[in-house]
């Protein structure tokens, strides 16, 4: 009976070793796939670095444009100040001219009164001359005039008028001419000033329009600069993630090579070292038991127990309920699921892998990213909004191993775990994201 049991056990071992014979080929395919992924990540890093350089150049150009616009605004402000002073000056001159016009009007009244009195004097002299026996009927000359100007002309034409009368007429004509010139000059001055004021007001409006346009342009430049600065922060975070991801993939390749070598060694020793294989299985069972015990111990102090290690490909990352699913949410794409729970809730690795990064992001908060290689396919898992992290970049983790505690960091509203699963490498566009519920053992 005992001998049959040993034979059966040996057969099982040999069958198991037989299955290992096919492993190197699968590992080789997996290794090539991971190498291809590494090349893709390197190319993506090059693209991201190019985006960073382009965005930095764009920011410098925007800063230069802002400086130019600000200088133009300063000059416009100076021009507007000069123009405003000119408007004040011309307005004061117009007011002064209006005062001169009012003063001239008063002088005109006096001058007209003086002319009227001279007219009376000339009439009296003309009558006196007629009564004294003059050859010319002076009154008829006066009364026959159709206008005051004609009257002056007729009086001037009388050769027999006395010298005193001629002086009065000359003064009369001079006053009339001065009056007309004064009126013309002051009216022209006022018109010129009003024209200049209108032009200054037009310039003022043009300067204000230019200022408004430059202020709008400056605001748009500030907005573009803010967007560019936000983009470059995202590019830099993506570059850091890709760099870490490249390192993790390289480490995963090394692990894959080691497993390949171990499988090949096991294949060569299978026939001659059945007992060693059995001992190795016993040792592996001991290691698994120790790991399970360690995991249990690490979460023993938690208020909520860590999820049990499942037999499925991917393990549930934490206890709690799914508060938000994969897909559209609030008009945007939600590229993962949210698992919520209260208390101190441990978060565990969903599968064996290598930690890409464990850092603090402005959006993710405290976040851990892990690279997995499963049956030749690369997966990336993301654990965001953690309260704390218990792993670091480059660390090899096993399925169910604690990576941190559920929290409320980054862009988060209430304690929960934001969990993402990417079929392939992580990228900023999250084009490889898949619905975790289709893979997890919930």
């Amino acid at each position: 009976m005992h001998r049959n049991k040993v034979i059966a056990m040996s057969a099982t071992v040999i069958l198991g070793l037989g299955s290992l014979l096919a492993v190197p080929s699968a590992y080789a395919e997996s290794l090539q796939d991971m190498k291809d992924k590494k090349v893709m990540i390197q190319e993506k890093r090059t693209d991201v670095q190019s985006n960073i350089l382009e965005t930095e150049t764009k920011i410098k150009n925007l800063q230069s444009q802002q400086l130019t616009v600000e200088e133009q605004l300063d000059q416009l402000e100076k021009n507007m100040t000069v123009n405003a002073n000119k408007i004040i000056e011309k307005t004061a001159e117009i007011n002064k001219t209006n005062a001169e016009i009012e003063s001239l009007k008063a002088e005109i009244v006096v001058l007209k009164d003086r002319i009227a009195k001279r007219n009376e004097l000339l009439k009296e002299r003309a009558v006196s001359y007629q009564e004294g026996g003059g050859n010319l009927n002076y009154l008829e000359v006066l009364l026959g005039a159709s206008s005051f100007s004609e009257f002056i002309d007729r009086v001037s034409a009388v050769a027999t008028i006395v010298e005193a009368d001629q002086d009065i007429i000359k003064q009369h004509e001079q006053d009339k001419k001065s009056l007309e010139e004064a009126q013309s000059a002051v009216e022209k001055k006022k018109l010129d000033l009003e024209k200049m004021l209108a032009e200054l007001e037009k310039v003022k409006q043009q300067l204000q329009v230019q200022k408004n346009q430059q202020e709008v342009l400056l605001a748009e430049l500030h907005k573009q600069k803010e967007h560019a600065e936000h983009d470059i922060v995202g590019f830099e975070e993506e570059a850091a993630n890709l760099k870490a991801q490249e390192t993790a993939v390289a480490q995963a390749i090394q692990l894959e090579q080691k497993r390949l070598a171990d499988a090949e060694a096991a294949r060569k020793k299978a026939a001659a070292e059945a007992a060693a294989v059995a001992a190795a299985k016993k040792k592996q069972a001991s290691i698994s038991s120790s790991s399970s015990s360690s995991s249990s111990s690490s979460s023993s102090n938690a208020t909520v127990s860590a999820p049990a290690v499942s037999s499925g490909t991917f393990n549930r990352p934490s206890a709690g309920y799914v508060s938000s699913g994969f897909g559209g949410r609030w008009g945007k794409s939600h590229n993962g699921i949210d698992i919520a729970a209260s208390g101190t809730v441990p978060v565990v690795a969903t599968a064996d892998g290598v930690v890409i990064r464990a850092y603090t992001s402005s959006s993710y908060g405290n976040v851990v990213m892990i690279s997995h290689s499963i049956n030749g396919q690369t997966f990336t898992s993301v654990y965001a909004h953690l309260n704390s992290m218990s792993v670091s970049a480059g660390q090899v983790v096993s399925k169910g191993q604690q990576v941190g505690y559920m929290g409320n960091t980054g862009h988060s509203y209430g304690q929960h775990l934001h969990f993402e699963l990417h079929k392939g490498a992580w990228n900023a566009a999250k084009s490889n994201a898949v619905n975790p519920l289709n893979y997890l053992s919930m």
Side-chain angles (χ1 to χ4, degrees), residues 97-113:
T97 303
N98 286 332
E100 291 177 1
I101 290 173
E102 293 299 322
S103 177
L104 185 59
K105 285 180 180 179
E107 293 179 6
I108 290 172
V109 172
V110 174
L111 185 57
K112 285 183 177 180
D113 182 64

Side-chain angles (χ1 to χ4, degrees), residues 149-165:
S149 296
E150 185 181 355
F151 169 77
I152 295 297
D153 293 338
R154 290 189 180 192
V155 172
S156 299
V158 178
T160 57
I161 194 166
V162 295
E163 186 67 25
D165 290 342

Side-chain angles (χ1 to χ4, degrees), residues 83-228:
N83 189 73
N85 291 335
K86 287 182 178 180
I87 289 175
I88 294 172
E89 180 183 336
K90 295 306 174 186
T91 302
E93 289 183 22
I94 289 174
N95 292 335
K96 183 179 178 181
T97 303
N98 286 332
E100 291 177 1
I101 290 173
E102 293 299 322
S103 177
L104 185 59
K105 285 180 180 179
E107 293 179 6
I108 290 172
V109 172
V110 174
L111 185 57
K112 285 183 177 180
D113 182 64
R114 190 185 306 159
I115 290 172
K117 289 180 179 180
R118 287 175 183 160
N119 284 340
E120 292 298 324
L121 180 59
L122 287 173
K123 288 179 183 180
E124 290 175 2
R125 294 217 177 182
V127 171
S128 174
Y129 183 78
Q130 184 181 18
E131 291 175 350
N135 295 326
L136 180 64
N137 189 337
Y138 207 83
L139 184 59
E140 289 180 0
V141 173
L142 176 64
L143 297 177
S146 60
S147 67
F148 180 72
S149 296
E150 185 181 355
F151 169 77
I152 295 297
D153 293 338
R154 290 189 180 192
V155 172
S156 299
V158 178
T160 57
I161 194 166
V162 295
E163 186 67 25
D165 290 342
Q166 290 179 352
D167 291 340
I168 292 174
I169 291 171
K170 287 180 180 179
Q171 184 64 44
H172 206 58
E173 290 176 341
Q174 184 62 42
D175 288 345
K176 178 184 176 184
K177 183 179 179 181
S178 298
L179 174 61
E180 291 172 347
E181 289 177 349
Q183 284 180 319
S184 177
V186 77
E187 287 172 357
K188 183 177 183 302
K189 181 179 178 182
K190 182 180 179 181
L191 288 174
D192 290 343
L193 288 171
E194 289 176 342
K195 183 179 179 181
M196 291 175 66
L197 182 61
E199 291 176 352
L200 288 171
E201 289 291 346
K202 185 177 180 181
V203 170
K204 177 182 178 181
Q205 293 176 358
Q206 293 173 345
L207 290 173
Q208 186 62 49
V209 170
Q210 292 177 21
K211 180 183 177 183
N212 293 341
Q213 291 173 343
Q214 294 299 90
E215 287 176 343
V216 170
L217 176 59
L218 185 61
E220 178 61 26
L221 289 173
H222 277 300
K223 186 177 179 180
Q224 291 181 20
K225 183 184 174 185
E226 288 177 358
H227 284 314

Side-chain angles (χ1 to χ4, degrees), residues 112 122 286 359 426:
K112 285 183 177 180
L122 287 173
S286 175
Y359 73 109
W426 177 94

